[in-house]
Amino acid sequence: METLLPKTAAFHTLGCKLNFAETSTIARQLTDAGYEKVSFDDRADIYVINTCSVTDNADRECKLHVKRAMKANPDGLVVIIGCYAQLKPGEISAIEGVDLVLGAKEKFNILNYLDDLRKSSTNGQIHSCEIAETDFFIGSYSIGDRTRAFLKVQDGCDYKCTYCTIPLARGISRSDTIDNVVNNAKEIAAKGIKEIVLTGVNIGDYGKGEFGNKKHEHTFLDLISELDEVAGIERIRISSIEPNLLKDESIELVAQSSRFVPHFHIPLQSGSDEILKKMKRRYLTGLYSDRIAKIREVMPDACIGVDVIVGFPGETEEKFLETYNYLNSLPISYLHVFTYSERENTEAADMEGVVSIAERKKRNKMLRILSEKKKMEFYRTQTGKTLPVLWEHENRNGKMYGFTENYVRVQKPFDQNSVNQIELLTLGEILEDGSVSAKASFNAFLAKV
């Protein structure tokens, strides 16, 4: 009797840490159902592409990876999920090679749609709910990288920022239960993964919708207090958190914790209070400055990253320089710079004071240069210090890289025995690639119980 080979599935993720967590969970669903996971450039029976809508070239990126899949296997079935799939399902289904488009609710039931799926010569099938129906929570975590896992604790957003489509793509703010988050953290620890990154759309809003209603049964502080007690995890890192939701008590817990690391990523978006109001952000620069000052007070060596948008409608040269000078004055460590792009069904798309594309690009470049300056300033404050480094598994031309707790990227010659280990060492000089050399090791790997 002929033995049937298992079906194969390949996955590619665009966008944020939350997408990576969800892709990993969906991949586990397929492998549990008997599929063999293969590389995206290998010949596979099914290709799953998890898309993002934040960048202005979401359609181009989606088409690019559909072509990659079709090159690897012209007969392979292509399934598109993610934020772009929820926002523009008709547009995506018309892309040559796409066979199935699943919305925010349907993507977690992907197995229900695969049995009868056939390669299409016309538009792909669409199964997409109204976003108002997405009022449930599916816990997820990624385990693709053996040194860290992205743990989803929250989804959706109730904020109405005038430039953002995320509420349209992911629905209302809702949270996992504390018990489930803690259990997922224990599962991750049991796999030997040493670092967890907490992720979500608006994680500072954690607790809303935990039990199917809009109340906050628990808070973000409650969540991190519980996770701080989970044995087996060496490091817990908080991903992006809104400044108005990052309370002093949470900052103080991180400062005193043996697990939470001194690294914060806090969106600013603009250093102009007038622009912040047009964006409908829920804070002004005064509050933002207070948050940075509090972190520096209790964690002088903390790494602080900042999101900023350039070219928002009404951002005159004067308003941009206000942002530039404000960021330059802050004791921060790096920037993530985004160029504003118009989005359908957002207030900002119809605002006056449109900034030219050329000017947007110029401002983006200026802030990227400022980011490099800030990063180098921060790294210089850390050279010569003795810090624990968690080494990653990749061998990059004979080099390996790792990160300190406060997110300094460190380099040394590749050593297989160092992979997924925490090594106490002295930081040396800043190298050409922007990392820091490992100057002196204290030989023994740190093993926390």
Side-chain angles (χ1 to χ4, degrees):
M1 182 181 292
E2 182 181 356
T3 302
L4 294 176
L5 294 174
K7 288 185 177 181
T8 52
F11 303 85
H12 187 78
T13 305
L14 300 167
C16 62
K17 296 178 177 69
L18 180 56
N19 271 6
F20 279 92
E22 292 182 343
T23 298
S24 192
T25 293
I26 291 167
R28 286 195 294 276
Q29 288 181 5
L30 267 64
T31 55
D32 289 347
Y35 285 81
E36 179 188 346
K37 184 178 177 181
V38 298
S39 167
F40 196 82
D41 290 312
D42 288 343
R43 184 179 180 85
D45 296 307
I46 295 169
Y47 296 89
V48 180
I49 303 171
N50 195 351
T51 59
C52 174
S53 66
V54 171
T55 60
D56 58 359
N57 57 356
D59 57 339
R60 186 177 64 82
E61 287 190 316
C62 185
K63 288 176 182 176
L64 173 68
H65 296 294
V66 171
K67 285 181 179 178
R68 276 181 64 197
M70 290 296 89
K71 181 179 179 182
N73 181 11
D75 298 320
L77 300 172
V78 176
V79 182
I80 311 295
I81 63 174
C83 292
Y84 183 41
Q86 176 65 37
L87 290 172
K88 300 286 184 70
E91 189 175 295
I92 295 172
S93 72
I95 296 173
E96 184 179 355
V98 171
D99 302 293
L100 178 64
V101 182
L102 297 178
K105 180 178 180 181
E106 292 77 12
K107 63 187 175 185
F108 294 109
N109 298 313
I110 185 171
L111 286 166
N112 294 347
Y113 303 99
L114 295 183
D115 285 347
D116 298 323
L117 190 62
R118 299 290 182 269
K119 195 66 195 170
S120 174
S121 58
T122 57
N123 286 8
Q125 297 179 30
I126 298 173
H127 296 277
S128 182
C129 65
E130 293 296 324
I131 198 61
E133 296 176 36
T134 311
D135 57 358
F136 57 91
F137 188 91
I138 301 292
S140 305
Y141 61 83
S142 71
I143 52 172
D145 182 336
R146 288 177 291 172
T147 59
R148 72 176 51 84
F150 300 134
L151 174 56
K152 174 183 171 183
V153 302
Q154 184 275 341
D155 201 351
C157 188
D158 291 340
Y159 287 10
K160 305 297 181 186
C161 299
T162 57
Y163 53 83
C164 186
T165 58
I166 296 300
L168 301 175
R170 284 192 168 269
I172 60 173
S173 178
R174 55 210 188 272
S175 309
D176 205 351
T177 64
I178 280 189
D179 286 347
N180 199 46
V181 173
V182 169
N183 287 336
N184 282 340
K186 289 177 179 177
E187 284 184 20
I188 292 167
K191 297 177 188 296
I193 296 170
K194 289 185 165 56
E195 182 175 311
I196 286 177
V197 182
L198 302 184
T199 187
V201 175
N202 189 357
I203 65 171
D205 200 29
Y206 176 82
K208 185 182 286 185
E210 185 182 355
F211 296 105
N213 54 43
K214 298 298 287 182
K215 295 179 181 178
H216 273 90
E217 301 293 338
H218 293 99
T219 65
F220 182 70
L221 179 61
D222 293 333
L223 174 69
I224 62 176
S225 298
E226 289 284 337
L227 287 172
D228 200 37
E229 301 299 322
V230 176
I233 292 296
E234 311 244 354
R235 294 179 175 183
I236 306 176
R237 202 174 294 276
I238 299 170
S239 66
S240 181
I241 183 168
E242 294 287 305
N244 53 302
L245 297 175
L246 178 59
K247 307 298 184 184
D248 286 353
E249 295 83 0
S250 296
I251 295 171
E252 288 163 0
L253 184 147
V254 172
Q256 296 161 10
S257 172
S258 60
R259 290 190 172 87
F260 279 87
V261 298
H263 176 204
F264 295 87
H265 194 93
I266 312 170
L268 171 65
Q269 311 308 12
S270 177
S272 162
D273 284 347
E274 183 180 320
I275 297 296
L276 287 174
K277 290 174 183 177
K278 289 186 71 175
M279 290 177 166
K280 290 190 178 177
R281 300 294 287 163
R282 298 196 178 193
Y283 56 86
L284 298 176
T285 52
L287 181 143
Y288 196 91
S289 296
D290 290 345
R291 291 294 177 268
I292 303 300
K294 176 64 179 180
I295 293 169
R296 285 282 170 245
E297 175 193 340
V298 296
M299 288 171 279
D301 289 326
C303 180
I304 304 174
V306 180
D307 285 341
V308 61
I309 297 171
V310 296
F312 188 81
E315 186 190 64
T316 61
E317 180 73 10
E318 178 186 15
K319 297 300 178 189
F320 169 70
L321 290 176
E322 197 176 339
T323 293
Y324 185 96
N325 292 329
Y326 177 67
L327 288 166
N328 194 29
S329 71
L330 286 176
I332 56 176
S333 312
Y334 65 89
L335 304 173
H336 281 176
V337 186
F338 298 89
T339 300
Y340 171 76
S341 60
E342 288 75 6
R343 291 284 183 275
E344 290 182 24
N345 301 314
T346 61
E347 286 185 55
D350 297 320
M351 288 182 179
E352 297 180 352
V354 174
V355 179
S356 72
I357 299 299
E359 188 62 28
R360 295 182 208 184
K361 289 181 178 179
K362 171 188 165 186
R363 294 174 187 180
N364 183 298
K365 184 177 180 179
M366 287 178 67
L367 287 187
R368 286 181 183 275
I369 292 170
L370 177 62
S371 179
E372 280 302 305
K373 171 190 164 188
K374 287 288 186 181
K375 179 184 171 185
M376 290 302 103
E377 286 175 353
F378 174 63
Y379 274 22
R380 277 192 286 271
T381 68
Q382 301 303 300
T383 55
K385 293 187 176 181
T386 300
L387 299 169
V389 174
L390 174 57
W391 294 108
E392 298 182 338
H393 68 279
E394 281 189 271
N395 182 343
R396 300 188 181 183
N397 298 317
K399 303 291 184 183
M400 69 189 309
Y401 294 85
F403 285 91
T404 63
E405 292 179 336
N406 61 344
Y407 213 54
V408 176
R409 189 168 184 250
V410 185
Q411 178 197 125
K412 75 169 185 176
F414 185 82
D415 175 8
Q416 184 62 44
N417 293 325
S418 295
V419 171
N420 199 35
Q421 299 296 324
I422 295 178
E423 184 179 9
L424 186 64
L425 51 82
T426 300
L427 304 190
E429 62 181 345
I430 299 173
L431 302 171
E432 285 187 9
D433 68 354
S435 64
V436 175
S437 65
K439 185 176 180 182
S441 172
F442 286 75
N443 299 320
F445 292 118
L446 300 181
K448 295 181 183 178
V449 178

